[in-house]
Amino acid sequence: MRIHIGCEMSFDFRQETPLIAMLNVHYSRASDLERPDFLTSDPPVPIESYRDSFGNWCNRLVAPSGRFTLGTDAVIRDPGTFEMADLMAWQHEVRDLPSETLLFLLPSRFCESDLLADEAWRLFGHMPLGIARVQAVCDFVNNHIVFSYGNARPTRTAAEAYREQSGVCRDFAHLAVTFCRALNIPTRYCTGYISDIGMPKPWSSMDFAAWMEVYLGGRWHVFDPRNNSPRIGRILIASGRDAADVPLTHTFGPSTLESFKVWTDEIVE
């Protein structure tokens, strides 16, 4: 399957403003791109690219004052099948985990696994280890939080989402990440594209999404507490400890987001 993916974001800046953008497909999917998904801007400005400490591809630039647009556009190849969970994946003892996964057991800015540890063990400590326990977390979070753009805010933490029972996909992911870390399962926060390919219509307007990956059975596995169902065409952009590590854009000054478009369209041969 071939999928047309991309985004366009337009800002209004009061003055020249440094900006970091994380909008490119993750290196683990780069070989599936038919051509590089270069970040472009209007008006054009010099763009410097680098990898952050998690291996995510980042772009830094200085946006001029006034209207400024940036985005990507690409075609990516995808298996075109629904995601399949490995039901036999086991949960590692902490002492047996690879050292590079230990960071994803620790509390972070939006995922206060220390604050919610007692609640995590109360809710899920009786569940079987491994995939079944992670799925129980996702089922709980999916039922506990009501999706609402109107109640979104960029500073909400997992503990606050748990109390308020409202939020957007990042809040679902943060809470599930937090519970899993408290249960000694390495878990990282992910952002990227999730298509509606294969889902019943009508489809809502596309947006970037958040989900998580857990380390079980010697590899990372995708779980999506917001949608809580397999998808076709999930395309990773970045992963980290939480949303603070992987913002789509980070501006070092005042700005107003004027428009925002995302597309993930199947190309019918």
Side-chain angles (χ1 to χ4, degrees):
M1 174 183 289
R2 300 168 69 231
I3 304 175
H4 181 206
I5 60 171
C7 66
E8 181 182 275
M9 307 174 73
S10 292
F11 296 86
D12 183 63
F13 290 102
R14 302 177 193 172
Q15 60 196 33
E16 281 194 339
T17 305
L19 180 151
I20 297 173
M22 302 177 69
L23 297 169
N24 296 100
V25 170
H26 193 260
Y27 70 84
S28 61
R29 294 296 305 271
S31 62
D32 294 325
L33 290 167
E34 294 191 355
R35 56 177 172 79
D37 60 336
F38 293 120
L39 183 73
T40 60
S41 70
D42 181 21
V45 298
I47 298 175
E48 178 186 342
S49 300
Y50 68 96
R51 291 200 185 281
D52 67 9
S53 58
F54 298 99
N56 303 309
W57 193 246
C58 307
N59 297 279
R60 58 184 300 189
L61 55 90
V62 177
S65 62
R67 185 76 170 220
F68 182 72
T69 301
L70 72 164
T72 64
D73 188 69
V75 173
I76 193 167
R77 296 181 297 275
D78 190 81
T81 57
F82 284 99
E83 301 155 334
M84 295 290 291
D86 180 0
L87 300 180
M88 302 304 292
W90 70 93
Q91 182 172 332
H92 299 259
E93 295 284 346
V94 172
R95 63 174 177 266
D96 298 326
L97 285 166
S99 297
E100 63 270 18
T101 68
L102 297 178
L103 174 65
F104 299 103
L105 286 178
L106 305 179
S108 59
R109 165 71 176 84
F110 290 109
C111 298
E112 318 103 302
S113 50
D114 50 347
L115 297 183
L116 289 179
D118 289 344
E119 195 67 354
W121 283 100
R122 182 185 72 82
L123 291 169
F124 311 109
H126 64 285
M127 299 298 298
L129 296 175
I131 290 287
R133 183 169 287 189
V134 177
Q135 188 58 59
V137 168
C138 290
D139 291 343
F140 174 87
V141 171
N142 183 265
N143 289 321
H144 186 76
I145 296 180
V146 176
F147 188 88
S148 172
Y149 277 120
N151 288 326
R153 69 173 185 272
T155 59
R156 180 183 284 122
T157 68
E160 290 169 340
Y162 182 55
R163 291 195 300 269
E164 297 168 17
Q165 301 183 39
S166 178
V168 292
C169 59
R170 62 173 267 161
D171 301 305
F172 286 77
H174 280 154
L175 183 55
V177 166
T178 300
F179 280 145
C180 286
R181 287 182 188 167
L183 297 166
N184 297 330
I185 303 169
T187 313
R188 58 193 185 192
Y189 176 96
C190 302
T191 62
Y193 299 92
I194 298 180
S195 81
D196 286 323
I197 297 170
M199 305 300 292
K201 294 184 177 182
W203 297 340
S204 59
S205 298
M206 289 305 303
D207 195 353
F208 286 116
W211 62 90
M212 68 182 190
E213 293 178 348
V214 300
Y215 190 83
L216 297 170
R219 68 180 181 88
W220 293 98
H221 300 257
V222 169
F223 281 85
D224 183 351
R226 160 67 178 97
N227 295 294
N228 207 27
S229 63
R231 289 298 182 106
I232 295 172
R234 187 187 303 272
I235 301 164
L236 180 66
I237 287 178
S239 64
R241 293 167 298 179
D242 57 35
D245 289 331
V246 291
L248 297 172
T249 59
H250 187 101
T251 59
F252 296 87
S255 64
T256 302
L257 180 62
E258 297 290 351
S259 67
F260 179 47
K261 301 176 185 176
V262 179
W263 51 90
T264 57
D265 301 317
E266 179 183 2
I267 298 175
V268 180
E269 304 294 346

